[in-house]
Amino acid sequence: MVFRVSLLLVVLLSMVAGVAPERFGELTAAALAAVIAHAGWMYLLIVFLTLTFLAWLAFGPAGRLRIGGRDAEPEFSGPTWLAMLFAAGMGIGLVFWGAAEPVSHLVRPPEGLPPGTPQAARAAMRYTFFHWGLHPWAIYALMGLAIAWFQYNRSGRGLVSDVLQPLIGDRHLGWVGSVVNIVAVVATAIGVATTLGFGTMQISAGMSRVFGVPGGLGMQLAVIAGGFVLYMASSATGVDRGIKWLSSFNLALAGLLLLAVALLGPTGFIIETFTTSLGSYLDHLVGMSLTMTPFSGSTWVADWTIFYWAWWISWSPFVGAFIARVSYGRSVREFVLGVVAVPSLLGFAWFATFGGAALWGQMFGGADMAGALAEGYETVLFGMYDMLPFPGLLSGLSVLLLVIFFVTSADSAVLVLGSMSSEHAGDPPLARKFAWGIAIALVAAAMLMAGGLDALQALITVAALPFALLMLGVMVGLQRVLGMEVLRDKAEERRARRAIEDWIAREEERRQDG
């Protein structure tokens, strides 16, 4: 039932967005305004609690527990595991926003700062780190840890509804669980399609820059069609081959591009941007986590931070389920540090390099990055390359990086959507993955044809509200089951210690009798 209903809803939603985009946009915009006005603070508080809860798990008694049991061994090596996390979690977003977001914050800065100033530049990098750092990865880690624990330690099905079992009992197997899974699948499908739409726009812009081919809707639809063939071919090979190989290759390619920009660009400025922004981010972490703007009436926090938090929450079923799929055998401490800390540091290095180079170009290098921003977020990266040596080569590498991120994100999504819409654990059949592959391609194409990306982003922000409340339930349920496991382990250790002490006592008695 979950598969049929969720697939039907996704198709109907894309049809509505395509047939009546203006009306669709009006309704979603109104719903978005209502959610931000009345529940924006909730997003900030819940996400901050999530980060705090995971830190407590990692460094508390539950940290030594292992996904899959005491004797479970990881299925993938550490570097391969981290590569898959990074590619599935934020691949396209890093490339799309790497230069664009810092420039946007410089031009329209937070906290009422004057645009284009050094203060605005520092705030731009600090908030970019904030939006792509510990908080979003904590959201993914919470859902991933919960799904993994219930699947591998409690014989669950790997579904979102299973994590509610400590709170609702066997109803997670009935209609309540089905509703939860349908909402999760629909939000995931629309979220993935929207992100693929972003990637499509930037791939199209890059191909126009590198090869001189005409852009526009026709090129974007061709990109989606080509991407569909690639990610379905990758999906047919399974996680052990397609996603694993592409993720590892893409991480190496991303590292090469990162190194090239760092060496060809203002290297000293980039390094200083990284250290300064990291220190400022850590110094202001709590303040940024809980700051709204009740006194100034500014919409900046709502436009950026709340939108991002809702966006990550709406993605959490997808990314969390995929992280759970590849994290068997990891301890809770290793899982949290690996999923939250390491990808955050990689993201910081990425934004310091691309964002730092773009800010340097705008402020000191004579480049018109603000003008590139006015043409669209997808053009800022290529505008930044124009001030560096070998702009054509860098643009070509970026297009290749985007294509592979497109494939790995869609490949991961097809796998997860197939699993989330199945009643049984394990890899879904190829036919089900093929159906979801077609669905997300159609939704992405429909949004681009209808110009409905903004409306569907707003829709996901609204849809994330029940998931924000779900995260509270996940934290409560996870604390209960992990707490019980910690007590069970301690009891077993006491029994083992007593058994050893009894054996020693018996041996001592034998020696005395002898």
Side-chain angles (χ1 to χ4, degrees):
M1 183 184 78
V2 173
F3 171 70
R4 292 190 296 272
V5 173
S6 56
L7 187 64
L8 177 62
L9 289 175
V10 168
V11 173
L12 289 176
L13 192 60
S14 63
M15 291 176 59
V16 171
V19 172
E22 293 184 2
R23 182 57 179 163
F24 186 75
E26 293 172 359
L27 292 175
T28 54
L32 176 64
V35 167
I36 290 176
H38 300 291
W41 60 270
M42 187 183 301
Y43 286 113
L44 299 185
L45 185 59
I46 291 176
V47 173
F48 182 67
L49 288 175
T50 299
L51 181 60
T52 306
F53 175 72
L54 286 172
W56 176 74
L57 285 184
F59 298 105
R64 62 180 182 174
L65 300 177
R66 189 168 295 276
I67 297 170
R70 287 185 176 183
D71 300 325
E73 294 291 337
E75 185 179 359
F76 302 100
S77 67
T80 299
W81 179 55
L82 292 173
M84 288 192 287
L85 299 182
F86 201 65
M90 294 186 175
I92 290 177
L94 288 174
V95 182
F96 190 91
W97 293 106
E101 183 172 342
V103 172
S104 178
H105 296 340
L106 178 70
V107 175
R108 295 181 290 273
E111 301 175 358
L113 296 170
T117 61
Q119 295 88 343
R122 284 192 288 270
M125 289 307 306
R126 183 174 78 246
Y127 273 94
T128 300
F129 276 29
F130 176 55
H131 291 151
W132 293 83
L134 299 174
H135 291 72
W137 284 105
I139 295 169
Y140 293 160
L142 174 66
M143 192 62 68
L145 179 59
I147 293 175
W149 189 266
F150 280 89
Q151 180 175 357
Y152 296 124
N153 296 74
R154 296 172 67 91
S155 302
R157 302 163 296 170
L159 303 179
V160 175
S161 60
D162 289 348
V163 305
L164 298 178
Q165 188 271 335
L167 302 180
I168 63 175
D170 291 341
R171 287 191 294 275
H172 77 287
L173 299 173
W175 69 269
V176 175
S178 296
V179 170
V180 170
N181 292 327
I182 288 170
V183 173
V185 170
V186 171
T188 297
I190 301 299
V192 170
T194 303
T195 300
L196 295 184
F198 276 124
T200 299
M201 290 191 296
Q202 196 166 37
I203 291 171
S204 177
M207 293 183 69
S208 297
R209 176 69 62 96
V210 176
F211 302 109
V213 297
L217 181 60
M219 172 57 66
Q220 292 171 357
L221 296 179
V223 168
I224 291 176
F228 169 77
V229 173
L230 291 174
Y231 68 70
M232 286 312 306
S234 174
S235 181
T237 64
V239 176
D240 294 336
R241 301 180 65 186
I243 299 177
K244 175 183 175 180
W245 291 347
L246 285 174
S247 297
S248 298
F249 175 77
N250 222 28
L251 191 63
L253 181 60
L256 176 64
L257 189 61
L258 181 74
L259 184 63
V261 174
L263 294 178
L264 296 174
T267 306
F269 183 87
I270 288 172
I271 295 173
E272 292 178 2
T273 297
F274 176 81
T275 57
T276 301
S277 301
L278 180 58
S280 180
Y281 165 71
L282 295 175
D283 189 44
H284 293 81
L285 183 63
V286 176
M288 291 188 296
S289 298
L290 300 174
T291 295
M292 293 289 288
T293 54
F295 307 113
S296 65
S298 170
T299 63
W300 195 94
V301 172
D303 294 339
W304 285 97
T305 303
I306 294 176
F307 169 75
Y308 266 129
W309 283 191
W311 186 255
W312 304 137
I313 290 170
S314 70
W315 262 64
S316 62
F318 155 50
V319 182
F322 181 77
I323 291 174
R325 170 65 180 80
V326 299
S327 297
Y328 181 84
R330 306 286 171 181
S331 70
V332 171
R333 181 174 297 113
E334 182 184 12
F335 180 92
V336 172
L337 294 178
V339 176
V340 178
V342 176
S344 295
L345 288 174
L346 293 174
F348 295 157
W350 184 274
F351 279 101
T353 301
F354 287 83
L359 292 181
W360 181 87
Q362 176 68 30
M363 301 176 71
F364 307 110
D368 186 15
M369 301 307 302
L373 178 67
E375 296 179 12
Y377 290 114
E378 67 272 16
T379 67
V380 176
L381 176 67
F382 304 108
M384 185 267 288
Y385 287 153
D386 286 339
M387 70 181 192
L388 302 178
F390 315 113
L393 176 61
L394 294 174
S395 296
L397 288 175
S398 295
V399 171
L400 177 60
L401 185 67
L402 279 165
V403 169
I404 303 178
F405 270 140
F406 185 106
V407 173
T408 53
S409 295
D411 190 350
S412 305
V414 166
L415 171 67
V416 171
L417 286 168
S419 299
M420 289 169 60
S421 58
S422 175
E423 292 297 323
H424 307 287
D427 286 347
L430 183 60
R432 182 158 298 190
K433 292 193 287 186
F434 189 77
W436 282 118
I438 294 176
I440 60 175
L442 289 177
V443 173
M447 289 188 292
L448 290 171
M449 288 188 293
L453 282 172
D454 291 340
L456 283 166
Q457 288 180 64
L459 178 65
I460 289 177
T461 305
V462 175
L465 184 59
F467 276 100
L469 298 174
L470 174 66
M471 288 171 62
L472 290 175
V474 171
M475 283 185 272
V476 173
L478 197 56
Q479 191 278 329
R480 287 183 182 177
V481 296
L482 293 182
M484 291 171 58
E485 194 68 23
V486 168
L487 293 176
R488 187 178 296 113
D489 274 8
K490 288 182 178 179
E492 290 181 1
E493 289 175 0
R494 287 194 297 268
R495 285 194 294 269
R497 192 162 50 247
R498 284 196 298 267
I500 293 173
E501 291 172 353
D502 292 342
W503 180 83
I504 293 174
R506 287 194 299 271
E507 289 298 310
E508 185 65 26
E509 289 176 1
R510 288 195 189 98
R511 283 196 296 269
Q512 290 176 357
D513 294 341

